[in-house]
Amino acid sequence: MAIIPFDRLEGSIWLNGALVPWGDAKVHVLTHGLHYGSSVFEGERVYGGRIFKMAEHGERLVNSCRIMGMTCPYSAQELNRAAEETVRANGITSGYLRRVVWRGSEMMGVAAQANRINVAMASWIWPSYFAPEALEKGLKLTIADWRRPAPDCAPTQAKASGLYMICTLSKHAAENAGYNDALMLDYRGRVAEATGANIFFVRDGALHTPTPDCFLDGITRRTVMELAARRGIEVIERVILPDELEGFEQCFLTGSASEVSPVSEIGPYRFDVGALTKQLRSDYMAEAQGSVTVAVAVAG
Ligand code: PMP
């Protein structure tokens, strides 16, 4: 199957206040965001024509701008209206929305105080982040060589493009070695997250997930914690060390793109694609599709 590159898709892109034809949404090569990583973004999913958790993503985008010292020219409400306009204009009922904010090309150097803050949004049809077979059997993860940086070494609470350098390097290394993704430890050697998703473990019917003090406290992560609480499942947010992986029964990733994805393997450790993981995946899909009714408790 021939792959159509993203710049060749058809539709409309919202660029600095107006929808423009897809192919016209261009930036110059001398753009600060490209050279110095001064860019923040959001990845969201559209279910039944609705942007799931749009308000939370809009708020995080504005907050990422603030952390990066970029004054966003639009309020969260304006960004959300534009997001809906973009999805509608492209006729997306089930797909993805990308919002991105970056420093423009007025100044080309480390300092870029006068640069325009640009905003763009695009939406497209996008089925699954991981292949369906991989989701069925569980993802295979290796452990990355790169570590999540300390909060005083990078703006770790912003969804900033620059933070993804080490994610791309780690994911490429994992794929090249035959894995689906990589688990990243943090600067202290603690379990942190995957290259584009948070991580949860199951043991004795309870969920365990690392405290997000140097990586994103994902919107999907928080949704899953809420869904688990609704079922009376205990959620323990804590420091998790790599040698504890041995004792966990199940494992899954959470992210707007990856949704709830079971993991069967991390380095030498093995996990079951178990009932609790499957239940939370189905609760999440129902919540995202807007039809959840949860009353019964399940066993892990
Ligand atoms: N960590 C990283 C590095 C990510 O890229 C993502 C995806 N945005 C997440 C965690 C999960 O965040 P969310 O659930 O808000 O999409």
Side-chain angles (χ1 to χ4, degrees), residues 191-192 199-201 208-212 215 221 237-240:
V191 170
I199 195 159
F200 283 84
F201 300 94
H208 298 251
T209 191
T211 309
F215 55 88
R221 175 185 187 277
E237 214 179 355
R238 64 174 178 87
V239 171
I240 298 179

Side-chain angles (χ1 to χ4, degrees), residues 41-44 57 60 96 148 159 163-164 167 184 193-198 215-222 254-258 284:
F41 68 102
E42 281 300 316
E44 299 159 68
H57 284 279
R60 185 167 69 189
Y96 187 76
R148 304 304 307 172
K159 193 166 166 64
L163 290 168
Y164 285 85
C167 299
M184 300 184 78
E193 58 171 358
T195 61
N198 291 118
F215 55 88
L216 283 186
D217 177 7
I219 293 166
T220 317
R221 175 185 187 277
R222 293 202 298 268
T254 64
S256 301
S258 41
Y284 182 77

Side-chain angles (χ1 to χ4, degrees), residues 57-272:
H57 284 279
E59 207 175 296
R60 185 167 69 189
L61 187 58
V62 169
N63 195 41
S64 294
C65 288
R66 189 186 52 73
I67 294 171
M68 295 283 284
M70 292 162 36
T71 308
C72 185
Y74 305 98
S75 66
Q77 287 79 1
E78 287 168 326
L79 292 171
N80 293 343
R81 268 200 299 277
E84 287 178 327
E85 200 184 329
T86 307
V87 167
R88 218 179 311 119
N90 290 289
I92 305 298
T93 51
S94 175
Y96 187 76
L97 169 73
R98 174 57 59 97
R99 302 196 243 183
V100 59
V101 182
W102 71 97
R103 290 190 201 273
S105 49
E106 288 75 11
M107 291 171 72
M108 184 40 71
V110 172
Q113 310 258 16
N115 286 26
R116 176 177 185 172
I117 305 300
N118 297 275
V119 183
M121 305 187 194
S123 186
W124 58 87
I125 295 166
W126 202 31
S128 177
Y129 187 71
F130 293 106
E133 317 83 76
L135 289 179
E136 186 83 8
K137 289 195 207 135
L139 302 169
K140 295 184 192 317
L141 271 57
T142 183
I143 299 177
D145 291 336
W146 294 98
R147 292 184 174 201
R148 304 304 307 172
D152 61 354
C153 293
T156 55
Q157 294 308 314
K159 193 166 166 64
S161 307
L163 290 168
Y164 285 85
M165 273 193 309
I166 54 173
C167 299
T168 300
L169 288 170
S170 303
K171 179 125 177 166
H172 283 183
E175 287 178 344
N176 293 343
Y179 296 91
N180 301 108
D181 204 343
L183 168 70
M184 300 184 78
L185 305 179
D186 74 9
Y187 63 101
R188 296 161 291 202
R190 300 171 175 176
V191 170
E193 58 171 358
T195 61
N198 291 118
I199 195 159
F200 283 84
F201 300 94
V202 177
R203 193 173 64 204
D204 299 329
L207 292 182
H208 298 251
T209 191
T211 309
D213 59 3
C214 64
F215 55 88
L216 283 186
D217 177 7
I219 293 166
T220 317
R221 175 185 187 277
R222 293 202 298 268
T223 305
V224 165
M225 289 169 88
E226 209 181 288
L227 291 169
R230 273 194 226 165
R231 284 194 176 273
I233 297 161
E234 189 186 4
V235 184
I236 306 156
E237 214 179 355
R238 64 174 178 87
V239 171
I240 298 179
L241 298 172
D243 60 12
E244 288 184 69
L245 296 182
E246 174 103 61
F248 293 123
E249 298 144 14
Q250 300 172 37
C251 173
F252 59 88
L253 305 182
T254 64
S256 301
S258 41
E259 300 167 318
V260 173
S261 299
V263 172
S264 60
E265 168 174 341
I266 303 179
Y269 307 106
R270 298 292 175 270
F271 309 95
D272 298 326

